Amino acid sequence: MKRNEFIKASSLGLLGATLPIQYMGKQEVILGHNNKRYKINTRWSQADAARYPVNNCHEMVQDKKGRILLLTDETRNNVLIYDKNGKILDSWGTEYPGAHGFTLFHENGEDMLFICDNNRHQVIKTTIDGRVLMTLDYPKESGVYAKAEEYVPTETAIAPNGDIYVADGYGKDYVIQYNYKGEYIRHFGGKGDTPAHLSNAHGICVDLRDKVNPCLVVTSRLQNAFKRYDLAGKYLETIDLKGAWVCRPVIKGEYLYAAVLQSNNSTGAQSGFVTILDKNNKVVSNLAGSMPQYQGNQIEEMYQTIKAFQYPHDVLIDDEECMYVAQWNSGKTYPIKLEPVI
């Protein structure tokens, strides 16, 4: 970061408690570090709140038509469909009161979705327009769940062969693996004290950046970490993200992006930011957060420095490298768009 940028960011950090986000948009305040810096577009969403209300904005995906889909637990319209300029194109869904996880994948050239519903204790596969294709109930075949209420799935990931991985992030913290038909294969992770165990397995993705060694990246949010496993569930390593309550990992190109719900040193105080890791899983940028610093291979504690966000819950990187941030428990606010600074 150049000296004048550092001074500007530091000054804004001091004003963080009172600096309105609308001001940031008008003044084109730049967030982030190194080659991953963005300016805020606070007026992106053109949704009419009376017609298209949201509650918690949980996650976002982009379909093959370039449309942006937002998942909210507001049952008047669980899914809002935008164009990239923020215009509402369509909406659907009234049956997902605990809508949380939202994964898009391609099957035989068609876009498909997986929705994790916390309240229903289910994972639902749908077409891009909401037609239900498959429902996965709690995995009693695993032998670790006595009833549906113990299972609270938060995210899914789909492997190249169609295998389905479900993170039980608000239940027992297992990752459940199914084949493409929804037939149980195995489970791994779970609560415990070894590095292979998880604590709040909130998110999961398949990491194909190393084509020879594909793996899973799983959130262990209360440990401020991501954990890597092979596709058969063998633990590989922990990526320490000290201070950051990370949500799901999102991979685009060579980078991994994640919303950080809040800073560990300021919980319950709307202290979220966005973190970006390179292909070596080193933090290179924190949007509205502290400059990433390492002592050897250990990241120094990260934290919010500018109140650009409240409780970020997910990020989407579109086909033009713009970022969208959906937020939880943030006054029913619509997503924020961030445009890269070249």
Side-chain angles (χ1 to χ4, degrees):
M1 175 181 278
K2 296 178 182 178
R3 183 175 183 274
N4 61 335
E5 293 169 352
F6 176 78
I7 292 170
K8 183 176 182 181
S10 301
S11 300
L12 289 172
L14 295 174
L15 295 172
T18 57
L19 191 64
I21 193 167
Q22 291 80 5
Y23 172 88
M24 294 187 197
K26 290 178 182 178
Q27 299 300 315
E28 293 193 351
V29 172
I30 305 303
L31 302 178
H33 308 99
N34 299 309
N35 66 333
K36 288 294 181 181
R37 300 183 301 133
Y38 297 80
K39 61 181 180 180
I40 295 178
N41 179 347
T42 59
R43 299 181 180 180
W44 172 74
S45 175
Q46 300 172 34
D48 178 352
R51 185 176 178 186
Y52 300 106
V54 295
N55 189 23
N56 295 297
C57 292
H58 275 126
E59 294 189 344
M60 304 177 76
V61 296
Q62 184 180 30
D63 69 11
K64 65 179 183 179
K65 296 179 180 178
R67 303 180 305 173
I68 307 297
L69 283 70
L70 165 70
L71 183 70
T72 173
D73 50 11
E74 168 54 69
T75 54
R76 281 177 282 181
N77 42 226
N78 284 124
V79 175
L80 297 182
I81 303 175
Y82 290 90
D83 67 16
K84 287 188 288 188
N85 294 319
K87 179 183 177 181
I88 289 286
L89 303 175
D90 202 356
S91 66
W92 57 262
T94 60
E95 65 271 39
Y96 303 111
H100 187 280
F102 201 38
T103 301
L104 182 145
F105 69 103
H106 303 291
E107 185 177 278
N108 299 321
E110 296 298 321
D111 287 336
M112 300 291 171
L113 298 167
F114 270 125
I115 296 172
C116 293
D117 192 297
N118 294 170
N119 292 23
R120 290 173 49 173
H121 309 283
Q122 292 176 323
V123 177
I124 303 94
K125 178 183 178 181
T126 79
T127 60
I128 198 69
D129 57 359
R131 180 167 57 89
V132 174
L133 301 174
M134 179 171 63
T135 300
L136 298 175
D137 292 313
Y138 82 97
K140 55 186 176 183
E141 308 94 326
S142 67
V144 295
Y145 295 92
K147 55 185 178 180
E149 289 73 18
E150 295 176 344
Y151 176 66
V152 192
T154 51
E155 193 60 75
T156 60
I158 314 301
N161 68 350
D163 279 2
I164 305 160
Y165 297 86
V166 182
D168 179 23
Y170 289 154
K172 293 192 171 185
D173 284 339
Y174 288 107
V175 175
I176 316 298
Q177 182 180 355
Y178 301 88
N179 66 16
Y180 74 97
K181 297 178 181 178
E183 297 168 336
Y184 169 82
I185 297 175
R186 64 172 63 89
H187 63 280
F188 54 92
K191 300 181 188 299
D193 298 324
T194 75
H197 287 105
L198 297 159
S199 183
N200 190 195
H202 187 271
I204 184 171
C205 76
V206 176
D207 185 352
L208 301 175
R209 290 177 292 178
D210 181 347
K211 305 299 183 185
V212 179
N213 299 296
C215 70
L216 299 166
V217 181
V218 185
T219 306
S220 191
R221 191 160 70 179
L222 296 184
Q223 295 178 322
N224 300 163
F226 289 130
K227 297 194 176 184
R228 295 177 61 245
Y229 301 80
D230 69 18
L231 298 186
K234 178 184 176 182
Y235 169 79
L236 300 174
E237 69 168 339
T238 295
I239 303 167
D240 183 29
L241 298 166
K242 188 175 181 181
W245 287 49
V246 283
C247 296
R248 77 160 162 178
V250 175
I251 292 174
K252 177 76 170 181
E254 293 295 318
Y255 292 90
L256 185 156
Y257 304 77
V260 175
L261 188 75
Q262 58 185 353
S263 304
N264 204 44
N265 68 354
S266 188
T267 59
Q270 301 177 338
S271 58
F273 57 98
V274 173
T275 192
I276 304 174
L277 286 66
D278 66 13
K279 63 182 180 180
N280 298 312
N281 294 318
K282 297 294 185 183
V283 180
V284 294
S285 182
N286 286 320
L287 280 60
S290 54
M291 182 182 292
Q293 302 278 1
Y294 280 84
Q295 292 290 336
N297 290 322
Q298 297 298 311
I299 186 76
E300 294 186 357
E301 181 155 354
M302 300 184 291
Y303 50 88
Q304 184 192 73
T305 56
I306 303 172
K307 279 198 174 296
F309 311 113
Q310 297 181 56
Y311 293 108
H313 192 273
D314 188 41
V315 298
L316 164 68
I317 312 302
D318 73 12
D319 54 359
E320 296 178 337
E321 298 297 323
C322 292
M323 180 187 297
Y324 306 79
V325 180
Q327 301 195 83
W328 167 85
N329 192 27
S330 298
K332 301 186 178 183
T333 55
Y334 291 92
I336 298 168
K337 183 175 183 177
L338 296 106
E339 298 162 352
V341 175
I342 307 300

